[in-house]
Amino acid sequence: MILPFIAAFTIGLICSPAGVTGAFLLLPFQISILGVTSPVANSTNLLYNILSIPGGAFNFWRKRKFLPSLAIALVIGYLPGIYLGSLVRVTLLSDIRVFKLFMAAVLLYLGLRLLFSRSERLEGEIETLKSGFTGVEFRFAEDNFSFNPLAVFCTSFAIGIIASAYGIGGGALMAPVLAAVFGLPVKAIAGANLVGTFAASLFGIISYTSLGYPPDLSNGLAMGAGGAMGIFIGSRLQGRIEERKLRILLAILILVVSLRYIFIF
């Protein structure tokens, strides 16, 4: 179980400063390196999320880089989408060849979104100015930002379907959307995104287990322990890394994996 631990630690360390767990990279690792091709890989990936997220989320909350209203909107939207996604995985995407192409498409979208989205070097604490069902406004790094919780809910529902079918909690898909579409800074949404991913992953495991695909505990525990350590350290280092560099690093990692599945099918 040393290899899953090391892989999860490295991925968590690199990805957590951007508010994602790196589960989107662990799924290809399970399929191509560990040889797990059934939906068990999906539920094991979700177990990794549950075990690895709490420490990193706590760091963001302690640093006052956490938006409760955003986290709530994400969780409520994710839950129904997650179950629908698990059904899609065990039916329409049961053929591993089809699933690999699906993974490549999801990763390609993620990589391109991150690579071409604009960002600024922003640092600071979050101060909520207004919070309601139709609008939330907050201050971060001496600038004001806002979002519509209902729009976030609808978006997270749709993303929950895709994320669960892939085998992730949704944070990796949601982060670039929140940044590029909603115009929110990555470092301000990271904590809420991790909490949303945690809730979605918990419900995802329940969904996959009810469908007969419980997680592999040995791989899941090893990856969870490695990821927990990597995410905890990575979230503490977030303030020392420029946001644009985070985006480029993640984009390169994602695109390399995506192109591998497209051209080495």
Side-chain angles (χ1 to χ4, degrees):
M1 296 299 103
I2 296 297
L3 185 58
F5 177 89
I6 294 174
F9 172 81
T10 305
I11 289 172
L13 181 67
I14 294 172
C15 295
S16 58
V20 295
T21 65
F24 58 89
L25 292 175
L26 275 177
L27 190 71
F29 167 77
Q30 286 193 76
I31 290 175
S32 298
I33 306 299
L34 300 183
V36 183
T37 57
S38 77
V40 168
N42 297 60
S43 57
T44 304
N45 231 36
L46 295 174
L47 177 59
Y48 157 81
N49 279 344
I50 291 174
L51 296 175
S52 63
I53 284 175
F58 173 75
N59 275 337
F60 288 123
W61 174 81
R62 184 175 57 83
K63 295 177 181 178
R64 299 185 63 183
K65 293 182 179 180
F66 181 72
L67 277 167
S69 52
L70 178 60
I72 292 171
L74 290 173
V75 170
I76 295 175
Y78 278 147
L79 296 187
I82 290 294
Y83 181 69
L84 292 176
S86 62
L87 289 176
V88 170
R89 171 64 174 100
V90 301
T91 54
L92 301 179
L93 299 176
S94 58
D95 187 324
I96 189 59
R97 294 172 297 177
V98 176
F99 184 62
K100 284 183 176 181
L101 287 178
F102 172 72
M103 283 198 306
V106 172
L107 289 170
L108 186 62
Y109 162 80
L110 277 174
L112 292 176
R113 266 292 191 185
L114 282 170
L115 192 61
F116 294 108
S117 58
R118 296 180 180 180
S119 65
E120 299 176 4
R121 185 166 186 170
L122 302 175
E123 294 292 346
E125 296 180 349
I126 293 174
E127 178 188 359
T128 301
L129 303 176
K130 184 183 76 171
S131 182
F133 289 110
T134 58
V136 173
E137 185 177 351
F138 64 95
R139 188 169 182 79
F140 179 73
E142 301 182 354
D143 203 355
N144 291 357
F145 299 89
S146 63
F147 64 91
N148 186 324
L150 294 178
V152 172
F153 164 81
C154 294
T155 305
S156 61
F157 170 72
I159 284 180
I161 298 174
I162 300 171
S164 181
Y166 184 101
I168 54 179
L173 291 170
M174 198 67 192
V177 173
L178 289 173
V181 178
F182 287 86
L184 303 179
V186 170
K187 292 186 178 181
I189 66 173
N193 207 32
L194 282 177
V195 171
T197 301
F198 179 88
S201 299
L202 180 61
F203 192 71
I205 285 183
I206 296 173
S207 297
Y208 274 105
T209 300
S210 69
L211 294 170
Y213 298 98
D216 182 320
L217 291 180
S218 58
N219 284 336
L221 291 174
M223 291 190 299
M229 188 178 299
I231 288 175
F232 183 79
I233 296 173
S235 62
R236 291 180 66 89
L237 296 175
Q238 189 207 49
R240 305 178 185 179
I241 307 173
E242 186 179 346
E243 184 166 330
R244 179 58 182 167
K245 291 180 180 178
L246 286 176
R247 291 171 183 258
I248 293 175
L249 176 60
L250 282 177
I252 292 173
L253 287 172
I254 293 168
L255 290 173
V256 166
V257 177
S258 174
L259 293 175
R260 180 190 183 281
Y261 280 115
I262 291 174
F263 294 108
I264 310 178
F265 185 71

